[in-house]
Amino acid sequence: MALSASKLKVGDAHTARLVEDLKRTQIVQYAGASGDYNPLHTDEVFTTKVAGYPSVFAHGMLTMGMTGKMLTDYVGDARLTKYGVRFTNQVWPGDTLDSTATVKAITERDGVKVVELDVSTVNQNGVVVVSGYAEARVDD
Amino acid sequence: MAAKSFPVEASHILMFARSVGDDNPVYSDAEAAKKTEAGGIIAPPTFAQSSAQFDPDYGLRPKIGQPWFGSGKEPTGIKREPGGRGGGGGGGGLHAEQHFEYHRHLKPGDVLTATTVPGKTWEKESARAGKLVFSESVTEYRDQNGDLVITARGVGVRTERPVDAKS
């Protein structure tokens, strides 16, 4: 269901749980689907002994992809026009992530109503792991 | 990311959507997708990143007959070949930012080309990882008609040492 500009107001927020107790296998699953087989995400021996991290960690793009589900569930299918993020902290196996889109502005471009959103995904400690924005076409 | 031919296929979209935990039928069920505003199966918003599968030079995929820097029974000691984007080990590269602009959403049957041009580079000092060197790249995805469908801007960062986790 698409959003309506007339029913939206600045500050409206939509929150969704993205994942609970992120499994290492999901990280591997993302590696296989995306084609990013970086051992930092899939190879505990390499990541701990060579790279010097405490364990493998999620692709930033996995968190961006999971956050994308929160967005498309909110704005509707095929409605996004822009989506961008910064990866502010790593996501580790076992993390639980919640993501929020907050209405920043409702504007009009080329006769089409557009909602601008702030996007933030946090882990179980409240640390922001992804911070960004999105824009989507909305109905009048 | 550069790819001469990135065929967008329904089975790849299904696997990608599963991997990001998205069970929206618009990514997997042709009949259900027909009834949505999208009018058929489309790809999730970050799917274009999987063009890595079709980049012949992508450095983060083991290639047949070539050394791979990941471990076997033990670390191999092989250094990752330089030049590739998107990560690396031992105080190497990480993904710092990713931005997409959608001119339209991808659908099965599209055959894309991806061309990447380097953007700015800049440096920053960080308490958590030492000197950071950022480098930007812009990838244009065009469809079988030559129309621009997605513009992607990525920023990679090479860190002086592994990043300290914030708890």
Side-chain angles (χ1 to χ4, degrees):
Chain A
M1 279 297 128
L3 299 171
S4 295
S6 58
K7 290 181 187 152
L8 285 170
K9 53 184 193 302
V10 171
D12 282 356
H14 169 77
T15 296
R17 168 128 319 162
L18 304 184
V19 67
E20 249 180 82
D21 186 20
L22 174 68
K23 304 300 188 290
R24 290 155 199 271
T25 307
Q26 185 172 357
I27 299 173
V28 170
Q29 191 179 14
Y30 183 79
S34 69
D36 180 345
Y37 300 95
N38 193 332
L40 289 175
H41 309 305
T42 56
D43 179 340
E44 191 80 8
V45 172
F46 173 87
T47 306
T48 56
K49 291 189 180 173
V50 181
Y53 287 97
S55 88
V56 293
F57 50 91
H59 306 71
M61 289 307 296
L62 171 54
T63 307
M64 187 180 188
M66 291 190 292
T67 300
K69 170 176 161 58
M70 178 281 293
L71 280 172
T72 50
D73 283 351
Y74 183 43
V75 304
D77 300 327
R79 289 275 180 158
L80 278 184
T81 51
K82 285 183 186 172
Y83 175 28
V85 301
R86 282 189 307 123
F87 303 107
T88 52
N89 277 285
Q90 282 154 299
V91 171
W92 304 95
D95 278 358
T96 292
L97 304 178
D98 293 295
S99 188
T100 301
T102 308
V103 175
K104 189 180 155 194
I106 301 138
T107 56
E108 192 169 319
R109 199 170 302 145
D110 305 324
V112 177
K113 292 278 195 319
V114 171
V115 63
E116 296 178 19
L117 303 164
D118 284 323
V119 176
S120 177
T121 298
V122 298
N123 69 16
Q124 65 282 0
N125 301 316
V127 173
V128 176
V129 295
V130 149
S131 171
Y133 60 87
E135 283 188 19
R137 289 182 297 106
V138 293
D139 292 341
D140 288 344
Chain B
M1 224 84 81
K4 276 187 188 153
S5 177
F6 169 14
V8 177
E9 291 168 352
S11 55
H12 191 190
I13 291 173
L14 166 81
M15 289 187 284
F16 188 91
R18 279 179 179 164
S19 78
V20 297
D22 197 335
D23 56 4
N24 185 338
V26 79
Y27 305 133
S28 58
D29 182 337
E31 284 306 311
K34 247 186 231 170
K35 296 178 194 132
T36 69
E37 185 183 339
I41 289 176
I42 56 170
T46 61
F47 179 79
Q49 195 75 3
S50 63
S51 62
Q53 301 275 19
F54 302 94
D55 178 349
D57 300 320
Y58 187 65
L60 295 171
R61 174 180 70 243
K63 297 190 187 65
I64 295 164
Q66 292 181 25
W68 174 243
F69 67 103
S71 60
K73 189 173 183 191
E74 295 297 334
T76 58
I78 295 167
K79 298 283 180 222
R80 183 182 163 217
E81 50 181 303
R85 282 190 173 273
L94 297 170
H95 203 167
E97 295 179 34
Q98 185 65 39
H99 307 265
F100 294 106
E101 196 174 335
Y102 307 101
H103 310 289
R104 74 163 170 83
H105 288 273
L106 303 176
K107 57 185 194 312
D110 283 335
V111 181
L112 308 180
T113 56
T115 50
T116 298
V117 291
K120 296 179 293 191
T121 62
W122 65 97
E123 290 183 11
K124 198 173 133 184
E125 205 53 48
S126 137
R128 286 166 59 205
K131 190 170 100 167
L132 307 178
V133 181
F134 293 90
S135 58
E136 183 187 58
S137 64
V138 177
T139 302
E140 287 189 348
Y141 293 93
R142 287 181 185 276
D143 69 9
Q144 51 282 5
N145 303 315
D147 293 332
L148 184 62
V149 286
I150 292 180
T151 308
R153 184 166 63 85
V155 178
V157 58
R158 300 197 79 80
T159 65
E160 193 173 5
R161 56 175 189 271
V163 183
D164 290 336
K166 200 192 270 185
S167 55

